[in-house]
Amino acid sequence: MSGIDRYDAQAVERKWQALWAARGTNTFTDEALATAKDPFYNLMMFPYPSAEGLHIGNIYAFTGADVHGRYWRLRGKTVFEPIGFDAFGIHSENYALKVGTNPNDLIPRNVENFTRQLKRIGGMFDWDHVVDTTDPRYYRWTQWIFLKLFEGGLVERRNAAVNWCPSCKTVLANEQVVAGLCERCDTAVEQRQFLQWFFKIGQYAERLLDNIATLDWSDSTRKAQANWIGRSEGAEVDFPIEGRKGAVRVFTTRPDTLFGATYMVLAPEHPLVDELTTPGQRDAVDAYRTQVGKRDLIERKKTDKQKTGVFTGGHCVNPINGQAIPVWIADYVLMEYGTGAIMAVPAHDERDFEFATTFDLPIVRVIAGPGDDASAPLDAAFTDDGVLVNSGDFDGASVEDGKRRIVGYLESRGAGTAKVNFRLHDWCVSRQRYWGPPIPIVHCADCGAVPVPESQLPVLLPRIEDFKPDDSGISPLARVKSWFETTCPSCGKAARRETDVSDTFLDSAWYFMRYPSANRDDAPFDPQVTSKWLPVHSYIGGNEHAVLHLMYSRFVTMALKDLGHIDFEEPFTRFRAHGLIINEGMKMSKSRGNVVVPDTLIEQYGADTVRMYLMFLGPYEQGGDYRDAGIQGPTAFLARLWQSVLEAEDAPVDEAVERKLHQTIARVTSQIPNLHYNTAIAALMEYLNVVRAGGRKPSRAEVAPIIVMLAPFAPHIAEELYERIGHTEGLFETARWPQFDPAKIVEDVLDIGVQVNGKLRGRVSVASDASEAAVVEAARANENVARFIDGRTIRKQIYVAGKLLNLVVG
RNA sequence: GCCCGGGUGGUGAAACUGGUAGACACAAGGGACUUAAAAUCCCUCGACCGCAAGGUUGUGCGGGUUCGAGUCCCGCCCCGGGCACCA
């Protein structure tokens, strides 16, 4: 094997990573970003550096996004592909607590290791525009956004229920509550009311929902967003309190069932509970409310538990029929949704039915399906469609019609009104934690909550050794007197800083706006650069963020637009979620001990092979099953390609190969932008198999296009081979994506399947321009086909041009 | 319970708007080269019957539409993920 050196992945990858860095192949100056032609912003979700290193799932995610970016670059676009670190927040803090190291020391070390790994896999990252959310140069502007929303009236401080561990005396996030117990000390978790900061995302519900239709996002993600927003149409109805002034307002999606409302239920926290409670029921009501308060938030929202509740002793009047109905309280009614009160229609709502059955409350049927006996007792709630019964003048109306007419009736008497409600609740952004950007507010006894002036940003997070949540019950920052003691920006008197930090989701709700302006210190984002690069052209990330992160990013973008800071309101034009990598059919986890460590793999096979293998496993949007043995495929493929290119001769493309080449270009060109990486790689393999068939030596013209098409997947080896066939200037700098000629794709001989009565009986080869008659003739000449049609008459023949002939005989 | 995915050989998976099921790989078996091993190359590879030609059968299950169904329709089962007392 004369003088052809073997493929040494490590050497090739070292060489090209160094050259890319030296040449600035993947990095932009700010000037270059500002003047870029045909910009393509290729974004991927930045990682939490909350582990020593990246796991294979991260590598999978980034590689898939990188393939996409590299492809568009070869197609001639100016591709900006930044990366960063979502380094603040509970993930990182919990990891720091677990390993017992101060996050100020630990997280930068993690970031450093992540950076090393990201460089090693050969991502086309712009290392001159990195974002680290813990960098004061970044979170200064996170605080700025808080202030802008505050000025814009989109921020509010109010009481909210939180999970509270009475033993640790601390607030717990939902994920820290395990089966109703504190994950650290196993004490039963309670609810407590705390003052918290909220972003009023609820105001944007309708817009967030309507815009979904305009987004090029995968269907499942759009559905998830729509479900989360949860629009429901119905009515608010006032039930006057019996024996005194005032009314209880309820929200219902079924105003048509108003005649069937036989009792009411208020959330235990409802402000009218005290007023409605009679002296005789006072003790029972108080006891119930205490008991509910002892439950954690998750437990309270469980569907499958026994209904509980207690009668207040009070009554309200059903406005449709003047009937007095009892008012109960129960924890299945939630204060956060609607009005915190419902009219109960046990005949037509499963929950109400269950409650009524438990407490022996009356059930009145007001909707009947065809043929139903409206007076027969129900053994379950009837939730199907039907017509109104036992509903006075409205009897006989359809559900749809009944809704409209009853709402109309209520409106005419001032007793109710049509109303749309959203499930989307306001975003609680405050965290009683250490590792986050301090909320830029000063509390003054005289002036109240005063925003920190912009000129004083950032409000630096002080380094403290005692960052663990302890039994003080409030943020760790509340222990640092020297930090929180300050003066009021408004009146100058002694005041106290807000000691909560903001939610990590706020850090990540605008990082994509920062990337192109990452080096600016005078503004969060440069207006010109921003309007050139945003909204993001392609965003790729995990489905775990399909709801919250994407929703919050959309909200912040909308709010910033309304406040005049940007000129677009949807941040991500296109979004695709990648799938999950599992190992031998099982989820990877430390406890299973089946975690694939990327470093080891890359050392053994090289980054290109690992990238190819990951992309070859299965459809990118569906994920794949990692199996150790499978990596042999791409390993051998790259070795064969290497050898083929090095021994390629100076000759034109062989005629037989040419068709396959153009077919391959066509396939790969359409598959990569659709993220069908596995089949694109298969097409390249097929082509190489044809090029090498029978041990023939390929020509340089045959292998040159494959090098370019391989480059998105295996950029290092592609560069090396590109250089070795005579290019000196770098593949990604100079190569163009190969073009195919549609005329050269067409086969001149076609293989037609011949069916008799729908069963395949033979195949015939015909010229591609053969007429139907010629195909039929060839088919009849086929011995096996003839066996099945001889002696019978052909009743029908179906010819699918170029593919198949079906002869129906009788 | 609701909303998304998904179920195809021993394995990962292909199959464009209904049109020759299993591309491309892995594993396995056989062979070549080699002192040997590795590497490489060649062949076989859904099941059943058959020496072969070929036949039967086959895409989770049961029906249906169609000349023709992995693909469409109806009714189920199983796996993965998300949401969930949202009135």
Side-chain angles (χ1 to χ4, degrees):
Chain A
M1 218 191 263
S2 52
I4 291 174
D5 49 350
R6 288 194 50 174
Y7 170 43
D8 177 348
Q10 304 300 334
V12 168
E13 290 169 12
R14 262 195 310 275
K15 169 182 167 182
W16 285 99
Q17 284 168 14
L19 274 173
W20 291 333
R23 292 174 178 175
T25 302
N26 303 324
T27 51
F28 290 92
T29 61
D30 287 347
E31 169 68 18
L33 278 183
T35 58
K37 274 198 208 111
D38 203 1
F40 187 88
Y41 190 164
N42 188 48
L43 183 69
M44 63 198 83
M45 288 180 181
F46 63 163
Y48 301 122
S50 57
E52 315 84 280
L54 294 164
H55 56 81
I56 197 84
N58 297 126
I59 304 284
Y60 182 70
F62 300 143
T63 300
D66 187 58
V67 169
H68 198 246
R70 288 184 180 275
Y71 169 81
W72 283 112
R73 178 163 181 178
L74 289 167
R75 290 288 301 272
K77 290 189 182 291
T78 305
V79 178
F80 178 49
E81 186 175 297
I83 192 76
F85 304 95
D86 197 0
F88 260 148
I90 197 148
H91 293 86
S92 296
E93 185 176 316
N94 284 351
Y95 180 67
L97 286 166
K98 197 176 111 194
V99 302
T101 306
N102 193 306
N104 289 285
D105 301 324
L106 180 69
I107 301 305
R109 287 213 297 268
N110 289 352
V111 165
E112 200 180 323
N113 194 42
F114 272 50
T115 303
R116 181 189 61 76
Q117 288 178 298
L118 288 166
K119 290 185 172 166
R120 187 65 191 84
I121 61 164
M124 200 176 66
F125 304 119
D126 184 339
W127 292 106
D128 290 344
H129 291 87
V130 175
V131 161
D132 175 341
T133 56
T134 64
D135 185 343
R137 288 177 65 203
Y138 180 79
Y139 73 73
R140 163 187 189 173
W141 300 112
T142 308
Q143 292 171 335
W144 176 88
I145 286 174
F146 184 99
L147 294 178
K148 290 298 150 192
L149 298 204
F150 186 87
E151 284 166 25
L154 292 170
V155 182
E156 186 174 84
R157 195 170 187 233
R158 61 167 185 258
N159 265 308
V162 292
N163 295 306
W164 173 259
C165 173
S167 162
C168 302
K169 295 194 169 56
T170 188
V171 170
L172 300 177
N174 277 348
E175 55 270 24
Q176 292 174 291
V177 183
V178 179
L181 304 177
C182 171
E183 69 169 358
R184 292 211 306 262
C185 66
D186 280 349
T187 306
V189 172
E190 306 176 350
Q191 310 171 39
R192 278 261 185 116
Q193 297 284 318
F194 266 92
L195 274 175
Q196 306 263 10
W197 289 99
F198 284 88
F199 280 2
K200 297 198 238 170
I201 188 172
Q203 286 185 9
Y204 283 76
E206 191 93 64
R207 218 160 125 200
L208 287 165
L209 183 68
D210 291 346
N211 278 6
I212 290 175
T214 70
L215 302 172
D216 175 12
W217 289 17
S218 32
D219 260 6
S220 60
T221 312
R222 301 188 338 176
K223 286 242 167 67
Q225 293 256 314
N227 286 344
W228 189 261
I229 295 168
R231 182 180 199 274
S232 44
E233 265 178 54
E236 281 188 352
V237 184
D238 287 333
F239 285 65
I241 301 171
E242 197 184 43
R244 62 174 71 213
K245 279 193 163 175
V248 173
R249 176 166 293 183
V250 304
F251 173 72
T252 177
T253 53
R254 296 295 304 274
D256 54 303
T257 62
L258 189 49
F259 281 89
T262 52
Y263 63 100
M264 297 175 73
V265 188
L266 307 193
E269 310 87 335
H270 196 285
L272 289 174
V273 172
D274 281 328
E275 206 173 310
L276 281 152
T277 303
T278 56
Q281 291 298 100
R282 170 63 54 194
D283 288 350
V285 166
D286 288 347
Y288 185 72
R289 293 172 100 180
T290 311
Q291 183 202 324
V292 168
K294 286 226 153 107
R295 278 207 200 106
D296 71 277
L297 292 169
I298 304 161
E299 187 54 31
R300 167 155 181 192
K301 292 191 179 180
K302 282 248 166 74
T303 333
D304 52 352
K305 60 173 212 250
Q306 190 77 40
K307 292 276 179 295
T308 61
V310 63
F311 179 42
T312 61
H315 289 79
C316 282
V317 177
N318 186 337
I320 200 85
N321 58 14
Q323 223 173 61
I325 55 174
V327 181
W328 288 61
I329 61 172
D331 69 349
Y332 82 92
V333 174
L334 308 173
M335 197 58 222
E336 316 88 86
Y337 187 76
T339 61
I342 62 157
M343 62 179 216
V345 185
H348 305 291
D349 181 280
E350 280 165 28
R351 297 152 303 181
D352 297 344
F353 185 89
E354 198 189 322
F355 191 83
T357 311
T358 307
F359 295 102
D360 208 18
L361 290 157
I363 298 172
V364 174
R365 177 167 202 167
V366 291
I367 306 287
D372 283 347
D373 174 5
S375 56
L378 289 160
D379 50 8
F382 177 83
T383 53
D384 295 348
D385 204 1
V387 297
L388 273 64
V389 294
N390 300 325
S391 297
D393 293 347
F394 302 93
D395 275 0
S398 68
V399 164
E400 202 53 37
D401 211 32
K403 281 182 182 170
R404 223 188 46 240
R405 285 172 56 195
I406 289 180
V407 170
Y409 172 84
L410 292 169
E411 280 177 341
S412 72
R413 315 191 124 222
T417 169
K419 165 92 181 170
V420 172
N421 245 319
F422 295 94
R423 216 195 64 116
L424 182 68
H425 44 279
D426 282 344
W427 175 12
C428 178
V429 293
S430 45
R431 295 289 179 273
Q432 291 73 42
R433 284 286 192 144
Y434 168 65
W435 193 235
I439 288 175
I441 293 286
V442 170
H443 297 285
C444 168
D446 294 340
C447 312
V450 181
V452 172
E454 263 179 60
S455 60
Q456 289 175 27
L457 297 183
V459 177
L460 286 171
L461 178 71
R463 180 188 174 105
I464 60 175
E465 296 314 319
D466 180 20
F467 63 91
K468 298 179 187 69
D470 70 359
D471 58 6
S472 66
I474 31 174
S475 306
L477 288 177
R479 287 173 229 147
V480 191
K481 216 172 165 206
S482 59
W483 181 81
F484 69 68
E485 280 187 344
T486 185
T487 52
C488 172
S490 170
C491 70
K493 283 195 202 135
R496 182 186 163 104
R497 286 192 190 282
E498 171 64 57
T499 53
D500 285 359
V501 300
S502 60
D503 182 8
T504 336
F505 277 120
L506 180 57
D507 302 324
S508 59
W510 76 283
Y511 76 110
F512 47 89
M513 295 188 210
R514 179 64 179 172
Y515 276 135
S517 306
N519 302 317
R520 292 281 300 258
D521 283 320
D522 56 339
F525 32 78
D526 176 279
Q528 260 78 53
V529 169
T530 303
S531 70
K532 184 175 226 11
W533 286 95
L534 283 128
V536 168
H537 301 94
S538 166
Y539 194 19
I540 288 177
N543 245 328
E544 70 274 20
H545 293 303
V547 176
L548 292 182
H549 160 64
L550 293 179
M551 189 74 74
Y552 293 150
S553 299
R554 296 179 62 209
F555 162 68
V556 166
T557 304
M558 254 177 218
L560 288 176
K561 189 205 175 202
D562 290 352
L563 297 168
H565 298 286
I566 50 178
D567 57 7
F568 55 96
E569 68 176 39
E570 284 294 340
F572 315 121
T573 307
R574 176 176 147 117
F575 172 76
R576 293 289 181 276
H578 59 75
L580 241 55
I581 288 287
I582 55 173
N583 186 358
E584 310 271 344
M586 286 191 296
K587 232 181 190 173
M588 283 187 227
S589 69
K590 280 187 186 140
S591 55
R592 279 204 185 87
N594 64 348
V595 176
V596 177
V597 182
D599 284 306
T600 324
L601 269 184
I602 291 173
E603 271 163 39
Q604 197 176 346
Y605 297 99
D608 282 337
T609 302
V610 172
R611 288 169 62 108
M612 284 209 67
Y613 181 46
L614 289 176
M615 296 303 103
F616 186 57
L617 281 180
Y620 185 61
E621 288 175 271
Q622 269 171 49
D625 189 0
Y626 179 91
R627 282 164 199 266
D628 286 325
I631 201 164
Q632 284 317 318
T635 304
F637 170 73
L638 289 184
R640 279 198 298 270
L641 178 72
W642 175 272
Q643 196 193 342
S644 300
V645 172
L646 294 205
E647 64 187 26
E649 287 162 348
D650 206 1
V653 177
D654 183 89
E655 218 178 302
V657 172
E658 188 177 45
R659 183 179 299 121
K660 190 69 184 173
L661 172 60
H662 285 264
Q663 288 171 344
T664 304
I665 297 171
R667 277 168 71 181
V668 176
T669 303
S670 72
Q671 284 164 339
I672 293 185
N674 290 321
L675 274 41
H676 297 159
Y677 299 147
N678 55 331
T679 49
I681 292 172
L684 294 175
M685 288 174 166
E686 257 184 76
Y687 175 62
L688 187 64
N689 289 345
V690 168
V691 165
R692 289 167 55 90
R696 71 184 281 278
K697 277 211 165 63
S699 77
R700 216 159 289 157
E702 288 162 8
V703 293
I706 200 178
I707 295 173
V708 179
M709 289 190 283
L710 181 75
F713 300 104
H716 312 84
I717 189 175
E719 283 271 23
E720 179 67 22
L721 292 175
Y722 191 71
E723 186 180 72
R724 288 187 185 224
I725 59 169
H727 300 275
T728 52
E729 287 184 60
L731 190 156
F732 288 97
E733 274 88 355
T734 59
R736 298 298 307 273
W737 191 258
Q739 302 288 306
F740 64 92
D741 179 350
K744 291 186 173 158
I745 288 178
V746 189
E747 302 278 355
D748 45 36
V749 176
L750 296 174
D751 181 34
I752 310 278
V754 182
Q755 297 181 336
V756 178
N757 287 350
K759 279 190 197 251
L760 189 70
R761 296 302 178 188
R763 297 160 210 258
V764 293
S765 284
V766 297
S768 59
D769 56 356
S771 65
E772 177 170 346
V775 173
V776 173
E777 195 182 331
R780 303 187 80 135
N782 179 293
E783 213 176 299
N784 201 47
V785 172
R787 262 176 57 203
F788 285 89
I789 57 177
D790 273 357
R792 299 187 230 191
T793 53
I794 294 178
R795 297 185 185 278
K796 197 169 176 182
Q797 71 186 37
I798 293 112
Y799 179 58
V800 183
K803 289 199 165 155
L804 173 134
L805 174 71
N806 188 9
L807 300 172
V808 184
V809 299

